[in-house]
Amino acid sequence: MTQLHGVVPPVCTPLTPERELDVPSLERLAAFLVDAGVHGLFVTGSTGEVAYLTDETRYRALDVVAGVAAGQVPVLAGIIDTTTTRVVEHAKAAKAAGADALVATAPFYAPTDPVEFPGHFRAIRAAVDLPLVAYDIPVSVGHKLPADVVLELAGDGTFAALKDSSGDLDGLRAVLDSTDDLVCFSGSETLADLGLFIGAHGLVPGIGNVDPHGYLRLYDAARRGDWAEAKTEQARLRRLFEIIHVGDGRMGRYSSAMGAFKEGLVARGVITGGTTSAPMIPLNDTERAAVRRHLAEAGLL
Amino acid sequence: MTQLHGVVPPVCTPLTPERELDVPSLERLAAFLVDAGVHGLFVTGSTGEVAYLTDETRYRALDVVAGVAAGQVPVLAGIIDTTTTRVVEHAKAAKAAGADALVATAPFYAPTDPVEFPGHFRAIRAAVDLPLVAYDIPVSVGHKLPADVVLELAGDGTFAALKDSSGDLDGLRAVLDSTDDLVCFSGSETLADLGLFIGAHGLVPGIGNVDPHGYLRLYDAARRGDWAEAKTEQARLRRLFEIIHVGDGRMGRYSSAMGAFKEGLVARGVITGGTTSAPMIPLNDTERAAVRRHLAEAGLL
Amino acid sequence: MTQLHGVVPPVCTPLTPERELDVPSLERLAAFLVDAGVHGLFVTGSTGEVAYLTDETRYRALDVVAGVAAGQVPVLAGIIDTTTTRVVEHAKAAKAAGADALVATAPFYAPTDPVEFPGHFRAIRAAVDLPLVAYDIPVSVGHKLPADVVLELAGDGTFAALKDSSGDLDGLRAVLDSTDDLVCFSGSETLADLGLFIGAHGLVPGIGNVDPHGYLRLYDAARRGDWAEAKTEQARLRRLFEIIHVGDGRMGRYSSAMGAFKEGLVARGVITGGTTSAPMIPLNDTERAAVRRHLAEAGLL
Amino acid sequence: MTQLHGVVPPVCTPLTPERELDVPSLERLAAFLVDAGVHGLFVTGSTGEVAYLTDETRYRALDVVAGVAAGQVPVLAGIIDTTTTRVVEHAKAAKAAGADALVATAPFYAPTDPVEFPGHFRAIRAAVDLPLVAYDIPVSVGHKLPADVVLELAGDGTFAALKDSSGDLDGLRAVLDSTDDLVCFSGSETLADLGLFIGAHGLVPGIGNVDPHGYLRLYDAARRGDWAEAKTEQARLRRLFEIIHVGDGRMGRYSSAMGAFKEGLVARGVITGGTTSAPMIPLNDTERAAVRRHLAEAGLL
C-alpha cells in the first residue's frame, strides 16, 4: 500500500442534462486531475454523488476513471451501502470494474452498534482481496467510527487506510499517535493543513476537483515543513470553498455544494454541464455567476 | 385506498443458516398472519431487515408474500434506498413482484434538506402508479419528515398514507388534525393504543409478527371505543415487547430485537430458524431461553 | 402527599415595564387560578421564567403566591440551579418563603453523569424536609432523567412526585407501570389527555395560566373515563396553544410563548402588562393582536 | 486590552474536606501559576467548578486570586449563570471582587435563540465597564455561539475576546480570518498547538493548573514559529491529559477530570487536598495512584 498517500480528489460524476453519465466529461475530468499530478483518484465517494447513482452508473463511472488512470495512479472506489451483504456485492463489482482499493463506511440506516462494526468490515475484507479504507463520515452514517475500532482493525490488517471526514481532529490525532499501520487521509477542505500538521498522509478534498493544483501546493509545502506556505495556500482555498454557499437559503447545502463544484468545472472548461442528481435542486443563473466570480477571485479563470 | 387500514405487520424475513431466504418459513409466516386476520402485510420494512437484504432477496421475499396474500389483503413493499433514482428502481421492481402499495422514506446518507423532499416523493409517485406511503423513521433516516411536507404531499395526492415510526405523537396528531386525505399508521409497539386514541387508522407493530392476535384485539377494542380493554391488551403487549432487550449489553439493540422476534416465531412453530443478517450478532442459548420465557408469560406457548 | 394531583399550572411571573415583579398582577393571577379550581400552584417553574429571575425576585414571587394560596392548595416551588450546593440554598429559601413542595432538575451546565444523579437528589431531600418533585425537562437540562434513576429514588422516598416535560410518553408509561409510590404529572399542553390516559395523576400546563377552566374540564372528563370529552377539550386547547407561534421567525420560541401567555392574561384582564425578562424579545402589536384573535376563537374573550 | 493573551489557566478551586473554600491552597495555586509565568488567571471557569459554587464562594475565590495576582497579571472572572439579569448581578459582584475582565456564555437552561444573544451580551457590557470575553462552550450551554454573532459583537466593541471551548477549529478559523478586533483563546488541552497555528492569541488549558510550564513552552515555541517543538510539547501534554480518564466507568467524565486535576496538584505539593464539589464522585486510592503514575511519566514528580 506504499502508493496510498497524497492528494486523492473524490472525483465528481458529470451528468448529461438527462442525468445520464457524461462519459467524455468524466474522462476529461480524470485526465485533468492526473495531469495536475494527483496521487490517486477516489471514485463514487460522497462528492461523486454515490448515494444518488444506480449501481450501473457507479460501475460505469469507475470503469471510465480506471481506464484513464491506466495504472498511473491508484483508483479507490466507494462501496457505499447500508449493510454487509450489500456492501460485499459492491466490493465484488468494484474490483471487476478496476478498483485498486475499496472505501467502506460502517452500516447505516439499520441501527447498528460499534460492537458489530468489526464483523462488518472483516466480512468485506475477507470477501474481496483489495486494500480496504475505512470511511468515517458521521454526517452521513449517523455515528462516528470509534478510534478503538479503527485501531483494532488496523492492527489485524483489515484496514489499510482511513479517510476521516468527521471533522474531529482530536480523534484523528489519537489514531495517528497510536499506530504506524494505517495511512490516514483528511477529508477536510478547510483544515487540510491541520490534518497534515498532525501527521495525516494525504487529503481527499471535494473542491480538489476544481483546484487540484492548490491542494498539491498545500501538500508539497507541508511535506517539506513549510507551514507558512501551507497556511497561505489553505487560506486561498478556504476562500474558494465559499462557493459551496451560493445556493444557501434556496436549497440544501449538498445541492449547493455539488452544483458549485460542477459549475466550477464547467467554468474551467473541464466538463460540459453542471447537472446534479435528483432530488438536488439545480443552481440558477445568479448562483452560477457567483461561482464564476469566486473562481475568478481565486485566479482560476 | 379504502383497504389500507388496521393491523399491518412488518413481515420478518426468515433466513436459512446460510443466510439465504427461507422460502417455506416465509410462506408459513405470511399464512400465519393472514389467518390471524391482519389487514395487510408490509414486506421489506425495517423489521424485514430490508437494509440487510440484496435486491434479489428483497424481491423474492415480496414475490413469496404476494403469492400467499393472493389478493386477500394488500401487500405493501418497502422501497428503501438512499435517493430518488435508486428508490425509483426499487419501486418498479416491487410493482413487478406484486406490491399493492409502496413505502418510501426521505433520502438518507446523502445530506438532504426538507425543501428537496417534495421533488423526491413526487418523482417516485410519478414513476410507478401505486399508492405511495410516506415512511417517517428518523432513527434510520436521520431527520424527521416535517408535518408540513407530509400535508403538502397528502394534499396533492402524492401520499396515500403515512407510516409514523418517529415516536412523535404530537406531530402525528398535528397531521391527523389537519387532513382527512391521509391514512395514518402508527409504527409503535408500545403506544399503539395512544396512536389509535388520537385517530390513527392502523398499526405496523414489529412484534405483531409474533403476536398478531394481540394487536388485532387491541385494534378492535379501540375501534369500538373500549379504551379500557385496549389499554389492558397494550399492557400485555408491552411486557411481551421486553424480549427486545434479551441481548442488551452484548450486541446492538437491533440485533437483539430482530433475534428475539425470529426466535419468538421459532418458538411458536411458525418459522424454522432464527438466523439474522450480517453483521448482526446472533442470540445465544441463554438469550433464546429468555425469549421463550417471555412468550410463556404472555400466554403464547 | 395525597394532596399532590390534578391541574397545577406553572404560574407566570408578571413584570412591570421596568422588569420588576408586578405584585398586584401576580396576586390577581394566583387568585384567578385558585378561583378556577386548580389543585395546586407551581411557582418559579420554566413558565414562571425562573431562569430569568434573580434570587430575590424568585422568593418574593413565591411569598406572594403562598400568601394568596393560604393553604387552600399546595404551592410547589421550582428550585432550579446548576448543581447540588446551589440547589440546596434555593431549597432552604423556598421553604422559608412558604413552599409546600420543591421541584428540582438534574444538574445542568456542569456535565454530569446519571450515576451522579442519586447523590444530587438525595442531598437536596436530606437538606430540607419537604416533598421533592423530580423535574424531567431535557430541553433545558440537556439530558433525560432515566427511568431507572426515577424509580430508584421513588423507591427510597427521595422523590414524592415526577413532573415529566420530556415528551417521552413511552418513558412515562414505563415509570407509571413500575411503581405506585410516585405521583406523576405530565407537563404537556397538547398531549395532556394522553398523559392522563396512561395513568398520570395530574397536569402542569403552561397555557393553563390563560385557560385553567379548560384543563380542569379535560382533567375531570379523564377522571370519570369520558375520553371522548377529554379529547374534545384537548382539541380546543391544542388550537389555543397555537398562540405560542405568534412571534415565529422574529424571535426564539420561548420569547414567543412567554409573550403570548402573558398577553393572553392581559387580554383576559388578569394581569396588567405583558413584559417578559431580558433577553427575550417583546411581542409587537401585530403579534399581540394575533394572540387576542386566538383567544377570541377559543371563546376566552 | 493589550495584556489579554498567552497562557491563562482556568484556576482550580481547592476545597477543604468539608467542601469549604481552602484559601491557603488557592493562594499557593495562584502563586504557583504566576511564578511559572502565566499571562493571566481565569477564576470561576468550568475547571474552577463555577457551576458548583455558591455565589459567596465564587467571589471569595476571586478575591483571593486577585490578591495574589496583585496586578502582575490580569484576572478574568467567569460570570456564569442562566440569563441576563442573573449574569449582570455576577458581573457587578465580580468587578467589586477585583476582576480585570469578565467571561460570559450565552443563556442556558432557558431555551434562547441566537437572535436574542446580542441583546444578552450588550446588556452585560453596558452594565459593567470591564472587558467582556465571549465564552463558547456548547457542551455546557447546549448550543454553539455562531460566528456571525461573535463577529457582530466584536465589531461594535461588546466583546474584547473569545474563549473557544467548542472544539470547532473550522469555526474558530472563520472568526480569526474575519477580524483583527478580537483576542481569541483556545480552550483545548490537546489541540492547543493547532489553535495557535491558526492564529489564536492564547490558551486556557484546564490541565495547565498541573503543568503550566508545559503550556508556556508550547506557547513560546509557537510564538517563534518552531512548530516541531510545539508539536513535541503538545504530544507530551496529550499523554499527561490522559489522567482525566482515571475514573472512567465509575463516574462521569467531569468528576474524573476535576478529581484528577486536583489530585495532580496535591501530588505536586501545590494544594492540600483533592476534594471536589457535590454531586461529583471522589477518586478512590487506585485512581489517585493512577494520576500520580501519569505525572511521574510526564516528569512532573
Side-chain angles (χ1 to χ4, degrees):
Chain A
M1 281 312 296
T2 55
Q3 78 274 37
L4 273 195
H5 75 281
V7 178
V8 181
V11 184
C12 285
T13 306
L15 301 177
T16 68
E18 296 75 30
R19 288 180 163 154
E20 304 291 330
L21 184 66
D22 177 351
V23 172
S25 283
L26 180 55
E27 288 173 337
R28 288 198 301 273
L29 172 56
F32 169 69
L33 297 171
V34 171
D35 292 350
V38 301
H39 306 86
L41 294 168
F42 175 31
V43 188
T44 57
S46 298
T47 302
E49 298 174 48
V50 62
Y52 299 86
L53 306 179
T54 63
D55 290 355
E56 187 189 345
T57 305
R58 290 185 184 192
Y59 306 127
R60 183 80 183 99
L62 176 57
D63 182 68
V64 167
V65 172
V68 175
Q72 304 171 80
V73 295
V75 175
L76 292 71
I79 50 172
I80 307 302
D81 217 315
T82 46
T83 58
T84 314
T85 311
R86 294 181 67 87
V87 176
V88 166
E89 285 201 337
H90 289 295
K92 291 175 180 169
K95 182 170 188 184
D100 297 304
L102 303 172
V103 186
T105 70
F108 55 91
Y109 186 88
T112 307
D113 193 86
V115 74
E116 291 146 354
F117 295 170
H120 172 70
F121 289 112
R122 284 184 185 129
I124 300 166
R125 184 66 188 83
V128 176
D129 190 20
L130 281 179
L132 183 60
V133 183
Y135 192 177
D136 187 18
I137 183 165
V139 71
S140 290
V141 169
H143 43 71
K144 170 128 183 83
L145 198 52
D148 59 347
V149 170
V150 171
L151 291 171
E152 176 187 346
L153 294 172
D156 73 6
T158 302
F159 288 151
L162 167 69
K163 170 176 175 347
D164 183 285
S165 295
S166 73
D168 175 7
L169 284 164
D170 205 66
L172 179 57
R173 194 166 219 175
V175 169
L176 284 162
D177 285 357
S178 303
T179 178
D180 295 321
D181 294 339
L182 200 69
V183 176
C184 291
F185 290 91
S186 162
S188 173
E189 279 90 355
T190 53
L191 301 177
D193 55 341
L194 300 193
L196 297 171
F197 182 82
I198 64 172
H201 311 89
L203 305 173
V204 188
I207 204 169
N209 282 275
V210 179
D211 191 3
H213 307 87
Y215 282 98
L216 286 161
R217 283 193 296 270
L218 192 168
Y219 176 74
D220 290 339
R223 293 282 284 186
R224 62 177 187 267
D226 186 348
W227 296 111
E229 172 62 20
K231 259 201 288 192
T232 301
E233 191 61 41
Q234 179 67 87
R236 196 185 61 83
L237 290 162
R238 276 180 73 87
R239 283 191 299 275
L240 175 61
F241 193 62
E242 290 297 308
I243 61 172
I244 68 166
H245 295 298
V246 293
D248 279 6
R250 208 176 65 81
M251 62 187 68
R253 63 191 172 80
Y254 206 68
S255 290
S256 179
M258 290 303 104
F261 291 170
K262 287 186 161 179
E263 182 60 22
L265 287 167
V266 172
R268 298 204 70 184
V270 179
I271 69 173
T272 300
T275 302
T276 53
S277 303
M280 285 193 269
I281 292 174
L283 300 189
N284 63 24
D285 288 349
T286 307
E287 292 152 356
R288 282 200 298 272
V291 170
R292 284 164 189 258
R293 209 159 45 237
H294 275 98
L295 262 69
E297 285 166 14
L300 296 181
L301 291 188
Chain B
M1 282 313 297
T2 56
Q3 77 274 35
L4 274 195
H5 75 281
V7 178
V8 181
V11 184
C12 285
T13 306
L15 301 176
T16 67
E18 296 75 30
R19 289 181 162 151
E20 303 291 329
L21 184 67
D22 177 351
V23 172
S25 283
L26 180 55
E27 287 173 337
R28 287 198 302 273
L29 172 56
F32 169 70
L33 297 171
V34 171
D35 291 350
V38 300
H39 306 87
L41 295 167
F42 175 31
V43 189
T44 58
S46 299
T47 302
E49 299 174 48
V50 62
Y52 299 85
L53 306 179
T54 63
D55 290 356
E56 187 189 346
T57 306
R58 288 185 186 194
Y59 306 128
R60 183 79 183 101
L62 176 57
D63 182 68
V64 167
V65 172
V68 175
Q72 303 171 81
V73 296
V75 175
L76 292 71
I79 49 172
I80 307 303
D81 216 316
T82 46
T83 59
T84 315
T85 311
R86 295 180 66 87
V87 175
V88 166
E89 285 201 337
H90 289 295
K92 291 176 179 168
K95 183 171 186 182
D100 296 305
L102 304 172
V103 186
T105 70
F108 55 90
Y109 186 88
T112 306
D113 192 87
V115 74
E116 292 146 354
F117 295 170
H120 172 71
F121 289 112
R122 284 184 184 128
I124 300 166
R125 184 68 188 81
V128 175
D129 190 20
L130 280 180
L132 183 60
V133 183
Y135 193 178
D136 187 18
I137 183 165
V139 70
S140 290
V141 168
H143 43 71
K144 170 129 182 81
L145 198 53
D148 59 348
V149 170
V150 171
L151 290 171
E152 176 188 347
L153 294 173
D156 72 7
T158 303
F159 289 151
L162 167 69
K163 170 176 175 346
D164 184 286
S165 296
S166 73
D168 175 8
L169 284 164
D170 205 67
L172 179 56
R173 194 166 219 175
V175 169
L176 285 162
D177 284 359
S178 303
T179 178
D180 295 321
D181 295 339
L182 200 69
V183 176
C184 291
F185 290 90
S186 163
S188 173
E189 280 90 356
T190 54
L191 301 177
D193 55 341
L194 300 192
L196 297 171
F197 182 83
I198 65 171
H201 310 88
L203 306 173
V204 188
I207 204 170
N209 281 275
V210 179
D211 190 3
H213 306 88
Y215 282 98
L216 286 161
R217 282 193 298 272
L218 192 168
Y219 177 74
D220 289 341
R223 294 282 284 187
R224 62 179 189 267
D226 186 349
W227 296 111
E229 171 63 19
K231 260 200 287 192
T232 301
E233 190 61 40
Q234 179 67 86
R236 196 186 61 83
L237 290 162
R238 276 179 73 88
R239 282 190 300 275
L240 175 61
F241 194 62
E242 290 296 308
I243 60 172
I244 68 166
H245 296 297
V246 294
D248 279 6
R250 208 176 64 81
M251 61 187 69
R253 63 190 172 79
Y254 206 68
S255 289
S256 179
M258 290 303 104
F261 292 170
K262 287 186 161 179
E263 182 61 22
L265 287 167
V266 172
R268 299 204 71 185
V270 180
I271 69 173
T272 300
T275 302
T276 53
S277 303
M280 285 192 269
I281 293 174
L283 300 188
N284 62 24
D285 288 350
T286 308
E287 292 151 357
R288 281 199 300 273
V291 170
R292 284 164 189 258
R293 210 158 45 237
H294 274 99
L295 261 70
E297 285 166 13
L300 296 181
L301 291 188
Chain C
M1 283 313 297
T2 55
Q3 78 272 36
L4 274 195
H5 74 281
V7 178
V8 181
V11 184
C12 286
T13 305
L15 301 177
T16 68
E18 297 73 31
R19 287 179 164 153
E20 303 292 329
L21 184 66
D22 178 351
V23 172
S25 283
L26 180 55
E27 288 173 336
R28 287 198 304 272
L29 173 55
F32 169 69
L33 297 172
V34 171
D35 291 350
V38 300
H39 305 86
L41 294 169
F42 174 32
V43 188
T44 57
S46 298
T47 302
E49 300 174 47
V50 62
Y52 298 85
L53 306 179
T54 62
D55 290 355
E56 188 189 344
T57 305
R58 288 185 186 194
Y59 306 127
R60 183 81 183 102
L62 176 55
D63 182 68
V64 167
V65 171
V68 174
Q72 303 171 80
V73 296
V75 175
L76 292 71
I79 48 172
I80 307 301
D81 216 315
T82 46
T83 58
T84 315
T85 309
R86 295 180 66 86
V87 176
V88 166
E89 286 201 338
H90 290 295
K92 291 175 180 169
K95 183 170 186 184
D100 298 304
L102 303 172
V103 186
T105 69
F108 55 90
Y109 187 88
T112 307
D113 193 86
V115 74
E116 291 145 354
F117 294 170
H120 172 71
F121 289 111
R122 283 183 186 130
I124 300 166
R125 185 68 188 82
V128 176
D129 189 21
L130 280 180
L132 183 60
V133 182
Y135 192 177
D136 187 18
I137 183 165
V139 70
S140 290
V141 168
H143 43 71
K144 171 129 182 80
L145 198 52
D148 58 348
V149 170
V150 171
L151 291 171
E152 175 187 348
L153 294 173
D156 71 7
T158 302
F159 288 152
L162 168 69
K163 171 176 175 347
D164 184 287
S165 294
S166 73
D168 175 8
L169 284 164
D170 206 67
L172 179 56
R173 195 166 219 174
V175 169
L176 285 162
D177 285 359
S178 303
T179 178
D180 294 321
D181 295 338
L182 200 69
V183 176
C184 291
F185 290 91
S186 162
S188 173
E189 279 89 356
T190 54
L191 301 177
D193 56 340
L194 300 193
L196 297 171
F197 183 82
I198 64 172
H201 310 89
L203 305 174
V204 187
I207 204 169
N209 282 277
V210 180
D211 191 2
H213 307 87
Y215 282 98
L216 287 161
R217 282 192 298 271
L218 192 166
Y219 177 73
D220 290 339
R223 293 281 287 186
R224 64 178 187 266
D226 186 348
W227 297 110
E229 171 62 18
K231 259 201 288 191
T232 300
E233 192 61 40
Q234 179 67 87
R236 195 185 62 82
L237 290 162
R238 277 180 71 88
R239 282 191 300 274
L240 175 62
F241 194 62
E242 289 297 307
I243 61 171
I244 68 165
H245 296 296
V246 293
D248 280 6
R250 207 176 65 81
M251 61 188 69
R253 61 190 174 77
Y254 205 69
S255 289
S256 180
M258 290 303 103
F261 291 171
K262 287 186 162 179
E263 182 61 22
L265 287 167
V266 172
R268 298 204 70 184
V270 180
I271 69 173
T272 300
T275 302
T276 53
S277 303
M280 285 193 267
I281 292 173
L283 300 189
N284 62 23
D285 288 350
T286 308
E287 291 151 358
R288 282 199 299 272
V291 171
R292 284 163 188 259
R293 209 158 46 238
H294 275 97
L295 261 70
E297 284 166 13
L300 297 180
L301 293 187
Chain D
M1 283 311 298
T2 54
Q3 78 274 34
L4 274 196
H5 76 281
V7 178
V8 182
V11 184
C12 285
T13 305
L15 301 177
T16 67
E18 296 74 30
R19 287 181 165 153
E20 303 292 329
L21 184 66
D22 177 351
V23 172
S25 283
L26 180 56
E27 287 172 338
R28 287 197 303 272
L29 173 56
F32 169 69
L33 296 171
V34 171
D35 291 349
V38 300
H39 306 85
L41 295 168
F42 175 31
V43 188
T44 57
S46 298
T47 302
E49 300 175 48
V50 62
Y52 298 86
L53 306 180
T54 63
D55 290 356
E56 188 190 344
T57 305
R58 288 186 186 192
Y59 306 128
R60 182 79 183 100
L62 177 56
D63 182 68
V64 167
V65 171
V68 175
Q72 304 170 79
V73 296
V75 175
L76 292 71
I79 49 172
I80 307 302
D81 216 315
T82 46
T83 58
T84 315
T85 309
R86 295 180 66 86
V87 175
V88 166
E89 285 200 339
H90 289 295
K92 290 175 180 170
K95 183 170 186 184
D100 298 305
L102 303 171
V103 187
T105 70
F108 54 90
Y109 187 87
T112 306
D113 194 86
V115 74
E116 291 145 355
F117 295 170
H120 171 70
F121 289 111
R122 284 184 186 129
I124 300 166
R125 184 68 187 82
V128 177
D129 190 21
L130 280 179
L132 183 59
V133 183
Y135 192 177
D136 187 18
I137 183 164
V139 71
S140 290
V141 168
H143 43 71
K144 171 129 183 80
L145 198 51
D148 58 347
V149 170
V150 172
L151 291 171
E152 176 187 347
L153 294 173
D156 71 7
T158 302
F159 288 152
L162 168 68
K163 171 177 175 347
D164 184 287
S165 295
S166 73
D168 175 8
L169 284 164
D170 206 66
L172 179 55
R173 194 166 221 176
V175 169
L176 285 161
D177 286 358
S178 303
T179 179
D180 295 321
D181 295 339
L182 200 69
V183 176
C184 290
F185 290 91
S186 163
S188 173
E189 280 88 356
T190 54
L191 301 177
D193 56 340
L194 300 193
L196 298 171
F197 183 82
I198 65 172
H201 310 89
L203 305 174
V204 188
I207 204 170
N209 281 276
V210 180
D211 191 3
H213 307 88
Y215 282 98
L216 286 161
R217 282 192 298 270
L218 193 167
Y219 176 73
D220 290 338
R223 292 280 286 185
R224 63 178 188 266
D226 186 348
W227 296 111
E229 172 62 19
K231 260 201 288 192
T232 300
E233 191 61 40
Q234 179 68 85
R236 196 185 61 84
L237 290 162
R238 276 180 72 89
R239 282 191 300 274
L240 175 62
F241 194 63
E242 290 297 308
I243 61 172
I244 68 165
H245 295 297
V246 293
D248 279 5
R250 208 176 63 82
M251 61 188 69
R253 61 190 173 78
Y254 206 67
S255 290
S256 178
M258 290 304 103
F261 291 171
K262 286 186 162 179
E263 182 60 24
L265 287 167
V266 172
R268 297 205 70 185
V270 179
I271 69 174
T272 301
T275 302
T276 53
S277 304
M280 285 192 268
I281 292 174
L283 300 189
N284 62 24
D285 288 350
T286 308
E287 291 152 357
R288 282 199 300 272
V291 171
R292 284 162 189 260
R293 209 159 44 239
H294 275 98
L295 260 69
E297 284 167 13
L300 296 180
L301 292 188

